[in-house]
Amino acid sequence: MSLILSLADEAATAALAAQLAARTRPGDALLLEGPLGAGKSAFARAFLRAASGDPALEVPSPTFTLVQSYDLPAGPAFHFDLWRLDGPDGLDELGWEEARDGICLIEWPDRLGPLRPAEALTLTLAPGPTETSRVATLTGWAGRLHGVGA
C-alpha cells in the first residue's frame, strides 16, 4: 500500500522529513527515488537536521564522497548518494554492511541491486503542478506511517 502526498514547497518537504525522522530507528533504510532535481537531497538534508535536533546542522551532498555519516541521538546515520555507481560492487568499500546497523538514507537506490533492503521505506519524489511543489509517494513501513502528512 502506498501513501501519496502533495507537498506545496520545500517547507512541506521538510515537514514530511521531520515526521519520518521521528519514526525512524536504527536498522531502517529510506530509499529516495525520483529524477534529478526532484528534491531527494533537500529531503535528506531536512531529515538529518530534524533527526539531529539541530536545524543548522551542516549536511553536505554526498555526490562526490558517495557517503556522509552523522551521529544522531537515535544512533549513527548514513546518507548515500549512489548516482556515480554502476551497481552494488563498490558498496563494500563504502561501509555498506556496517551502515545497515544505523539509519540509511539512500539516493539512487536502483544501484543497490540485490542489496536493496526489502523492509525499507521507499520515498519517490516527483515534480508537482508548480515549480516548487512535489508529489511524494511512500511505500513500505506497514503500520508505521499512521498520521504522516496530517
Side-chain angles (χ1 to χ4, degrees), residues 32-41 83 107-108 124-127 134-135:
L32 308 178
E33 298 183 336
L36 282 172
K40 298 179 296 294
S41 293
W83 171 252
E107 296 186 51
W108 305 103
T124 305
L125 292 166
R134 300 291 181 263
V135 175

Side-chain angles (χ1 to χ4, degrees), residues 44-141:
R45 190 171 295 113
F47 178 99
L48 291 163
R49 288 177 176 157
S52 72
D54 181 358
L57 179 71
E58 186 173 334
V59 183
S61 172
T63 299
F64 296 105
T65 59
L66 302 182
V67 64
Q68 293 283 344
S69 61
Y70 301 87
D71 290 319
L72 303 178
F78 303 87
H79 179 196
F80 290 87
D81 184 332
L82 305 181
W83 171 252
R84 294 176 42 222
L85 293 185
D86 291 331
D89 292 342
L91 287 172
D92 280 346
E93 294 151 21
L94 298 177
W96 175 252
E97 285 303 317
E98 297 80 15
R100 289 294 295 126
D101 291 333
I103 296 166
C104 293
L105 293 101
I106 303 121
E107 296 186 51
W108 305 103
D110 57 306
R111 300 335 194 248
L112 291 170
L115 298 178
R116 184 181 182 106
E119 71 286 356
L121 174 68
T122 300
L123 170 65
T124 305
L125 292 166
T130 70
E131 188 175 322
T132 60
S133 67
R134 300 291 181 263
V135 175
T137 304
L138 292 83
T139 307
W141 282 10

